[in-house]
Amino acid sequence: MAEPQGLKILTYPDQILREKAEVICDIDEGLAELADKMIITMQDAPGIGLAANQVGALRRIIVFDGNPSKPGGNPRVLINPEIVEKEGKIVHEEACLSVMDFSAEVTRSEKVRVTGVDQTGKPIALDAEGLLAVCLQHEIDHLDGVLYIDHLSSLKRAFYKRKLKKLLSGD
Ligand code: NI
């Protein structure tokens, strides 16, 4: 059997990254296949999380590493994820597979409770803190068309836009 292939990751300023993903009603074979491919894509990158918008699918599904401090060991799928509780503040240096050559500190909630269903349709309630909490907030933002750079000051965002322009023009 052929090895499943990873997917192409869209990068800023691709407009699909700005769209809101749709709630998933049916967990069918196509969705299971998308989830598998997203996990491969995340691990190949490598990254600790990936949202469907990033591979051009506007559906509310994310994959992430359940143990992000030791990536690769515990890939998980969350469908229709929602943050239902949050607590505290954490500042963490973030990067994104869709935002080339950049990272910046973002302030988010330190602890979150996230609900959703897994790829078998089983309801999930996940209490996360630290890096995992940051990762989940970052990925759920993607499903709403929000990128981590949107949380930065306009000055820092302008800096990144200039940097990207230079990068893309090959200077
Ligand atoms: Ni991202």
Side-chain angles (χ1 to χ4, degrees):
M1 223 169 82
E3 282 279 300
Q5 296 283 305
L7 301 162
K8 183 177 181 284
I9 298 176
L10 304 176
T11 55
Y12 175 86
D14 195 300
Q15 201 47 41
I16 294 179
L17 296 170
R18 292 316 198 171
E19 308 241 346
K20 207 171 153 84
E22 282 180 19
V23 171
I24 292 167
C25 301
D26 287 317
I27 299 174
D28 54 17
E29 227 167 87
L31 190 71
E33 197 179 312
L34 174 64
D36 287 346
K37 286 184 175 177
M38 283 174 65
I39 287 172
I40 292 166
T41 309
M42 170 180 76
Q43 292 180 331
D44 281 353
I48 58 170
L50 189 72
N53 302 43
Q54 293 180 274
V55 292
L58 288 172
R59 310 180 74 186
R60 299 190 80 81
I61 176 171
I62 63 170
V63 298
F64 61 98
D65 203 297
N67 189 3
S69 53
K70 281 189 202 156
N74 184 18
R76 299 190 58 177
V77 176
L78 202 52
I79 295 162
N80 298 335
E82 258 184 87
I83 297 168
V84 293
E85 279 174 43
K86 44 188 175 181
E87 194 187 312
K89 289 271 170 275
I90 184 172
V91 179
H92 197 275
E93 177 104 7
E94 292 187 29
C96 178
L97 297 172
S98 294
V99 181
M100 283 156 46
D101 290 298
F102 192 60
S103 66
E105 286 188 337
V106 177
T107 304
R108 296 195 189 263
S109 301
E110 190 195 3
K111 295 180 181 178
V112 290
R113 166 167 276 208
V114 177
T115 60
V117 297
D118 72 7
Q119 63 273 52
T120 67
K122 194 178 107 194
I124 301 282
L126 187 65
D127 290 306
E129 59 178 271
L131 180 55
L132 182 57
V134 168
C135 173
L136 290 168
Q137 290 169 85
H138 177 122
E139 301 312 331
I140 294 169
D141 263 359
H142 272 301
L143 300 179
D144 292 320
V146 174
L147 299 173
Y148 82 90
I149 51 174
D150 300 336
H151 295 292
L152 305 179
S153 67
S154 52
L155 202 68
K156 275 193 191 154
R157 215 167 30 249
F159 170 81
Y160 176 64
K161 283 182 187 167
R162 278 200 306 276
K163 182 181 162 140
L164 183 69
K165 214 170 163 185
K166 267 192 189 164
L167 209 73
L168 296 179
S169 70
D171 289 357

